[in-house]
Amino acid sequence: MPELPEVETMVRGLQPLRNLTIESLGRYRCSRKPISIRPTVATIRRRLVGRQLLSISRLAKRVVLEFSSGDRLVFEPRMTGLLLSSDPPTTAHLRFFITFLGAPHQFWFWDRRGLGTITAFSNSQWQLFMTSKKLGPDALAITADSLQTRLQPSRRPIKVVLMDQQYIAGIGNLYASEILFRANIDPRRQCESLGNEEWQTVSNAIIEVLQDAIAHEGSTLSDGTYRNALNQNGSYQNQHCVYARSDKRCRECQQTDIVRIVQNQRATFYCPVCQV
DNA sequence: CATATGTCCTGAGAGC
DNA sequence: TGCTCTCAGGACATAT
């Protein structure tokens, strides 16, 4: 599931496409229910064909292509979406393609479940989107002070709030559990119960876990869905301490098994000895 | 306003 | 073996 580290890895892998000019784009023939592409493929084609790709960047868990015209094309991978500049894992789930003038580079949007979205913005639409969208600060740019100021007032459990993109952007279900393990904080703790030093610890854990995961090019889970732009697996799954490790011995304390609970209809994993 | 729940989707795996 | 059922969770819409 692409969260911040996986999306960051995609963005880094797509940098060779920078400065190329779009030759064509469109839906890939796919017998499945079409994914959401807005406003329409025809409109996107009219706006973007012939435009030069200025930058490929990350906005929380989205990939943003910015063009010389100020237009942006935004990809939300959500659960199973991938952006690829190589041959896809299977052609069955290809959803969208871009070709570039005089360049051999490929660009595919591949999505097994089809929950991902593609949205085009003009420059003014983008400015409106960025001001109306209540997106919290990027998790990689967080400080202990800003984290505490934003999250402490909530009465919800810390794990649930870490996943709320309006409070802090980029953390999903997998990394929320790993971060709280690193911070030795029980995921059920209400935000208002954390003290200054604990917010500092959580802040440090956010940066450490996410940077470590980026260094390992993200997590490819047992379903094998996530891959980088070159269709290669990440390796951070081998470093997981709690996620999907229920009933396995805690790697840190070696005293007890990892526990799985459900919070807001999401699986949470933690060590009842290490995390208090 | 803050918080909770329902919705979309496919394929792996469990259970019979 | 082959069917049916449950589950996984991103973001958003709707409900409380």
Side-chain angles (χ1 to χ4, degrees), chain A residues 1 78 98 143 257 276:
Chain A
M1 65 202 84
R78 297 206 181 172
I98 299 176
T143 64
D257 291 349
V276 292

Side-chain angles (χ1 to χ4, degrees), chain A residues 107-173:
Chain A
F107 182 95
W108 298 110
F109 185 69
W110 182 96
D111 190 348
R112 171 150 54 79
R113 290 187 201 167
L115 298 177
T117 68
I118 302 172
T119 311
F121 297 86
S122 68
N123 196 31
S124 59
Q125 288 170 331
W126 179 252
Q127 305 306 328
L128 190 64
F129 171 79
M130 290 299 283
T131 52
S132 64
K133 186 108 198 128
K134 288 174 287 182
L135 204 59
D138 192 84
L140 272 186
I142 203 69
T143 64
D145 280 350
S146 66
L147 189 70
Q148 179 167 6
T149 301
R150 297 184 69 88
L151 273 61
Q152 181 118 62
S154 175
R155 286 180 306 197
R156 288 184 294 169
I158 175 85
K159 190 263 187 173
V160 172
V161 180
L162 279 181
M163 289 175 60
D164 189 325
Q165 304 302 299
Q166 298 189 30
Y167 286 72
I168 173 170
I171 299 170
N173 200 49

Side-chain angles (χ1 to χ4, degrees), chain A residues 11 14-15 17-20 52-58 63-68 71-73 75 107:
Chain A
V11 163
L14 292 170
Q15 291 307 313
L17 303 176
R18 204 151 56 99
N19 294 328
L20 297 182
Q52 188 182 21
L53 179 52
L54 281 191
S55 71
I56 302 111
S57 61
R58 181 179 60 77
V63 175
V64 181
L65 309 190
E66 184 181 352
F67 294 88
S68 49
D71 286 290
R72 274 131 176 126
L73 192 59
F75 296 84
F107 182 95

Side-chain angles (χ1 to χ4, degrees), chain A residues 77-102:
Chain A
R78 297 206 181 172
M79 290 301 299
T80 53
L82 298 180
L83 288 179
L84 298 160
S85 60
S86 67
D87 290 329
T90 62
T91 57
H93 305 93
L94 283 175
R95 310 287 183 159
F96 188 81
F97 71 90
I98 299 176
T99 64
F100 296 93
L101 274 175

